[in-house]
Amino acid sequence: MSRLLSSLGLLSYVLLAALALLWWAPNFFAVNLHRWPDLDYRYVAATGVPYALLLISVAARQSLMPRFSVQLVFQVVLAGLALFLGIIAFDYLPQAVFFCAMHLLLCAASLLWNLVQYRRELMAWNKRQAALRA
């Protein structure tokens, strides 16, 4: 059952990342073709690219774990909630900047944490595989 949950979780992360990149970013840029997007918190967060990178790192890390991780789900949900709130408040600048900056901070911190932990889990997995082959 745990393997099934891990596989379903991994599949859902990959699908969410693909949706964020294939649907959200092209629509965002198509709507804003009349002007160049500003390089501020709101536009960088609204592209969905930081969220997609977070989803990819979560999927990579979950692929090495033997059990489904609720901690990784919380990372995705919190970053998604901050993005959702930033988009809802997109026209009200003070709140939009706060939520979009929070989204980018959560994505960056979680991405770095997941990359470090992925490296550690990959080394541990390689050691286990070497021990099994010996």
Side-chain angles (χ1 to χ4, degrees):
M1 184 66 176
S2 178
R3 185 161 179 85
L4 176 68
L5 285 177
S6 294
S7 298
L8 286 176
L10 180 62
L11 181 64
S12 66
Y13 291 138
V14 170
L15 289 177
L16 280 172
L19 285 175
L21 285 173
L22 295 176
W23 181 79
W24 187 257
N27 284 328
F28 175 79
F29 288 116
V31 169
N32 292 304
L33 278 180
H34 62 281
R35 71 193 270 288
W36 287 97
D38 301 328
L39 287 177
D40 63 358
Y41 298 128
R42 295 184 315 146
Y43 283 91
V44 172
T47 61
V49 173
Y51 193 54
L53 290 173
L54 171 66
L55 290 171
I56 290 168
S57 72
V58 167
R61 190 168 166 212
Q62 184 68 55
S63 68
L64 291 177
M65 298 176 115
R67 298 180 193 268
F68 186 72
S69 174
V70 177
Q71 176 197 10
L72 296 177
V73 173
F74 283 139
Q75 286 180 5
V76 170
V77 168
L78 286 177
L81 180 64
L83 177 62
F84 179 70
L85 292 173
I87 290 172
I88 285 178
F90 201 78
D91 292 327
Y92 184 66
L93 192 61
Q95 284 184 352
V97 168
F98 172 75
F99 286 124
C100 290
M102 183 63 62
H103 168 71
L104 293 176
L105 180 68
L106 285 170
C107 285
S110 297
L111 180 65
L112 290 174
W113 175 258
N114 287 337
L115 291 177
V116 168
Q117 293 300 321
Y118 177 78
R119 184 173 169 265
R120 287 183 181 166
E121 289 168 7
L122 185 61
M123 288 177 9
W125 186 79
N126 285 335
K127 285 182 184 178
R128 285 192 303 267
Q129 294 300 319
L132 287 174
R133 279 184 250 134

